[in-house]
Amino acid sequence: MSRFFSSKYNSLEPYTPGEQPKDVQYVKLNTNESPFAPSPRAVEYAAKAAQSLQLYPDPECRELTQRIADYLGLDFDQVLVTNGSDEILNFAFMAFCDEDHPAVFPDISYGFYPVFAQLNGIPYTELPLRDDFTIDADEYCGIGKTIIIANPNAPTGIALSTDEIEKIVKSNPDSVVVVDEAYVDFGGESCIKLINKYDNLLVTQTFSKSRSMAGARLGFGAGSKELIRDLNTIKYSTNPYNINKMTMAAGLGVMEDEEYTQKNCRTIIENREWTEEQLRSLGFETTVSKTNFVFAKHSEISGEKIYTYLKENGVLVRHFSKERICEYNRITVGTREQMEIFIDKIKLLLEEN
Ligand code: PMP
């Protein structure tokens, strides 16, 4: 830390992104990216947009925002497109949390939530998941705080039903409920349909997973016009040109190629089910995942040992040191070939033990 760094960040612990090693060619199953290339149409549109990079992008991101709004059955002013969904989540912490509106989220969830809270000086509480890693929706009912829930949750992969989400939203009419649907396209149930019923619901989604665009950084939030207006106030006070031209164009391309996205999602779900079956037959316990990752632990071999063995053998998965989940690993679902390599390495590890 330099002597110039503001003391307000003294205790800030930044988010640690998953490893992106460049030295070895790993089978990379650690950051929940898509194993599939982006839609060819996205690539084509992005290349064309690159020819006019001397100009600023449209700060309103009109065409793409309208396209997403149409897809969701919402109006233009109910959607805000951002630089990854991380950006809309940060905007939501900035806009809807403070001393009088502290944040609450599960103890096991996306590791960026406490960082956003700390960054913005927001008091927060982490409500423990049940022992089986499910969220007890009743604990959030009438809590009167700004609620942030990943649905499906990460890294557990477990989803809440829309009825449970609605119960939480309905019972907290004076608090914003943010539902982070980063992984919803792999079998979860989106609560976008509740947006016109509740003015306190903000739903966030991303193009990083099902739409194969993690490298382009594109996400969005959807909610009432008033919530979106507040979030726009934050956007125009930080970075009006938050979406670059190539990403904007690529986003349009992928939205025009929904069939490609749906096909890839079906393949990921099939590969997830195959991987879970294999793992269970090898003595692993897995949660019920509705995402593009599997969360698994073995009854005899520690989570850390499995992570280290896999890494030494060319397969990268995500291990968390947090005590409650340190016996688990989160394994991104890749192509069938990648998952076969992963399972072969696991078999070798079990043989060696
Ligand atoms: N929410 C959750 C639960 C995530 O796991 C991630 C990905 N790390 C994000 C949001 C943010 O994704 P992105 O910024 O790539 O849209």
Side-chain angles (χ1 to χ4, degrees):
M1 188 190 306
S2 81
R3 63 200 163 90
F4 307 105
F5 196 40
S6 169
S7 60
K8 70 180 179 225
Y9 297 125
N10 272 351
S11 59
L12 180 64
E13 273 185 54
Y15 177 71
T16 315
E19 300 164 82
Q20 301 283 7
K22 297 283 173 266
D23 53 337
V24 184
Q25 274 292 50
Y26 286 99
V27 173
K28 202 172 166 303
L29 307 176
N30 69 325
T31 44
N32 297 342
E33 291 142 327
S34 170
F36 306 115
S39 150
R41 197 173 297 198
V43 177
E44 181 199 327
Y45 285 14
K48 201 161 163 225
Q51 292 169 1
S52 57
L53 283 181
Q54 75 277 18
L55 303 174
Y56 281 110
D58 171 14
E60 285 187 279
C61 205
R62 276 217 152 252
E63 214 180 340
L64 178 58
T65 306
Q66 186 63 59
R67 183 92 202 189
I68 294 171
D70 291 345
Y71 170 77
L72 301 173
L74 297 172
D75 292 335
F76 173 81
D77 45 11
Q78 290 180 294
V79 176
L80 174 60
V81 179
T82 53
N83 192 306
S85 56
D86 280 340
E87 186 175 57
I88 192 94
L89 290 166
N90 188 36
F91 286 176
F93 273 86
M94 290 171 82
F96 307 123
C97 301
D98 55 28
E99 288 285 333
D100 298 325
H101 306 86
V104 61
F105 38 83
D107 64 336
I108 307 294
S109 193
Y110 185 29
F112 223 140
Y113 302 153
V115 179
F116 289 137
Q118 286 166 30
L119 173 69
N120 296 301
I122 295 158
Y124 65 95
T125 321
E126 293 175 295
L127 284 185
L129 297 179
R130 294 192 186 106
D131 288 346
D132 64 0
F133 292 149
T134 55
I135 291 173
D136 183 352
D138 288 333
E139 285 195 11
Y140 292 83
C141 288
I143 199 166
K145 295 177 177 174
T146 302
I147 297 167
I148 300 96
I149 287 183
N151 191 41
N153 196 12
T156 64
I158 301 171
L160 280 177
S161 68
T162 299
D163 286 350
E164 286 169 302
I165 294 286
E166 182 164 14
K167 205 163 66 169
I168 296 170
V169 176
K170 195 175 178 179
S171 66
N172 288 286
D174 298 322
S175 304
V176 173
V177 179
V178 180
V179 181
D180 172 355
E181 295 188 347
Y183 299 102
V184 78
D185 296 325
F186 304 101
E189 204 186 337
S190 175
C191 65
I192 294 268
K193 51 184 162 296
L194 300 179
I195 282 176
N196 283 327
K197 205 166 160 190
Y198 299 100
D199 68 352
N200 60 326
L201 171 64
L202 178 75
V203 182
T204 65
Q205 290 192 10
T206 180
F207 279 55
S208 298
K209 319 293 177 185
S210 57
R211 295 190 163 77
S212 299
M213 280 185 34
R217 313 305 301 126
L218 189 62
F220 62 87
S224 68
K225 293 180 177 31
E226 292 74 21
L227 290 186
I228 295 299
R229 196 178 306 136
D230 295 341
L231 291 162
N232 263 309
T233 301
I234 303 288
K235 167 185 147 168
Y236 282 97
S237 307
T238 49
N239 187 7
Y241 303 111
N242 60 339
I243 312 295
N244 74 71
K245 282 189 146 217
M246 291 181 293
T247 294
M248 217 180 270
L252 263 180
V254 77
M255 289 306 291
E256 289 176 11
D257 203 358
E258 185 59 18
E259 215 172 289
Y260 181 79
T261 298
Q262 291 308 323
K263 180 170 79 67
N264 288 341
C265 288
R266 283 195 299 274
T267 307
I268 293 296
I269 292 170
E270 272 169 34
N271 294 351
R272 178 184 75 211
E273 287 168 356
W274 180 84
T275 307
E276 285 174 339
E277 234 173 75
Q278 295 288 316
L279 284 174
R280 285 195 208 113
S281 72
L282 294 168
F284 280 83
E285 208 179 286
T286 60
T287 55
V288 180
S289 172
K290 298 283 185 193
T291 62
N292 67 339
F293 55 84
V294 173
F295 197 52
K297 75 164 177 181
H298 194 267
S299 50
E300 283 152 34
I301 309 172
S302 80
E304 190 169 4
K305 186 165 180 190
I306 293 170
Y307 161 79
T308 308
Y309 180 89
L310 287 170
K311 187 170 179 184
E312 285 166 2
N313 287 277
V315 178
L316 214 49
V317 299
R318 185 91 195 246
H319 180 255
F320 299 89
S321 51
K322 211 168 183 174
E323 203 186 331
R324 264 193 98 180
I325 52 172
C326 66
E327 292 310 331
Y328 283 79
N329 280 291
R330 189 195 70 190
I331 305 121
T332 303
V333 178
T335 61
R336 178 64 182 256
E337 293 69 32
Q338 288 178 314
M339 301 327 283
E340 283 173 4
I341 295 171
F342 161 71
I343 291 291
D344 285 347
K345 300 294 179 197
I346 291 286
K347 283 180 179 162
L348 283 178
L349 167 65
L350 295 176
E351 273 167 32
E352 285 177 25
N353 272 263

